[in-house]
Amino acid sequence: MGSMPTPRPVVLVSALALSLLGPCASALIVPMSGWVPVNGNANVWTDTSGACLLREERSEQAFPVLASQEEALAFAAKLRVQLSKSMGPVISQPVDRAGFWAVLAAYDYKKEDATYKVSQLYINDAGTLRTVTGSSADGEKGACVNAMREFIRYLAD
């Protein structure tokens, strides 16, 4: 019997963000060596092995500046409740972005027989919602996984 192929990562946007997507104004800059745009789309990036995927999406929906940790904590709690309805358990937390706050969510996404680990940053972009989402197959141990998560947690803005 042949072995099953390793599932490629799927980047999903939460049900909340999916309904909010609008046209992209500029492209995500991914500072990780070897990462390339997928099919020339500078809003979707993958590492050289194809084990990790990053996607940036912009919405036309108003999204407030989270000016304090308290505001970010309140939004994180609401986001956790909303995402948990469709994604199962969700972890969300505020992240500091030099003068304002964003919210980071992490959850598992199941599709057919595969499970993906998803990290998603919710951020204000000139008054509208922008998300940066990273995913990899559950159990993926490649170097891209930690690099991608650190980029989303500390650098994406």
Side-chain angles (χ1 to χ4, degrees), residues 32-55:
M32 285 130 12
S33 178
W35 285 64
V36 295
V38 175
N39 297 324
N41 181 349
N43 293 309
V44 183
W45 290 74
T46 188
D47 69 306
T48 54
S49 72
C52 296
L53 194 69
L54 274 169
R55 177 183 305 264

Side-chain angles (χ1 to χ4, degrees), residues 4-157:
M4 296 281 294
T6 302
R8 295 189 54 86
V10 174
V11 173
L12 291 175
V13 178
S14 68
L16 170 69
L18 186 59
S19 65
L20 308 174
L21 300 179
C24 293
S26 65
L28 182 64
I29 297 171
V30 176
M32 285 130 12
S33 178
W35 285 64
V36 295
V38 175
N39 297 324
N41 181 349
N43 293 309
V44 183
W45 290 74
T46 188
D47 69 306
T48 54
S49 72
C52 296
L53 194 69
L54 274 169
R55 177 183 305 264
E56 175 187 44
E57 296 177 291
R58 296 171 190 266
S59 164
E60 293 180 6
Q61 178 183 349
F63 187 75
V65 171
L66 301 172
S68 69
Q69 186 175 18
E70 292 75 24
E71 289 176 7
L73 279 167
F75 179 79
K78 290 177 188 176
L79 180 65
R80 183 174 42 252
V81 168
Q82 187 65 30
L83 288 176
S84 293
K85 292 176 183 176
S86 59
M87 300 296 169
V90 173
I91 297 169
S92 62
Q93 66 183 46
V95 291
D96 188 7
R97 287 294 190 267
F100 66 97
W101 292 81
V103 172
L104 181 64
Y107 52 89
D108 288 350
Y109 174 74
K110 296 178 190 318
K111 181 175 182 179
E112 298 166 7
D113 292 335
T115 301
Y116 301 93
K117 296 288 187 187
V118 177
S119 296
Q120 190 167 46
L121 183 70
Y122 290 75
I123 195 163
N124 174 296
D125 184 13
T128 61
L129 174 64
R130 182 165 57 100
T131 58
V132 178
T133 307
S135 69
S136 60
D138 187 21
E140 176 61 50
K141 303 287 188 216
C144 69
V145 175
N146 285 336
M148 175 182 67
R149 289 180 184 158
E150 287 178 8
F151 171 74
I152 293 169
R153 169 67 176 94
Y154 297 108
L155 299 174
D157 63 5

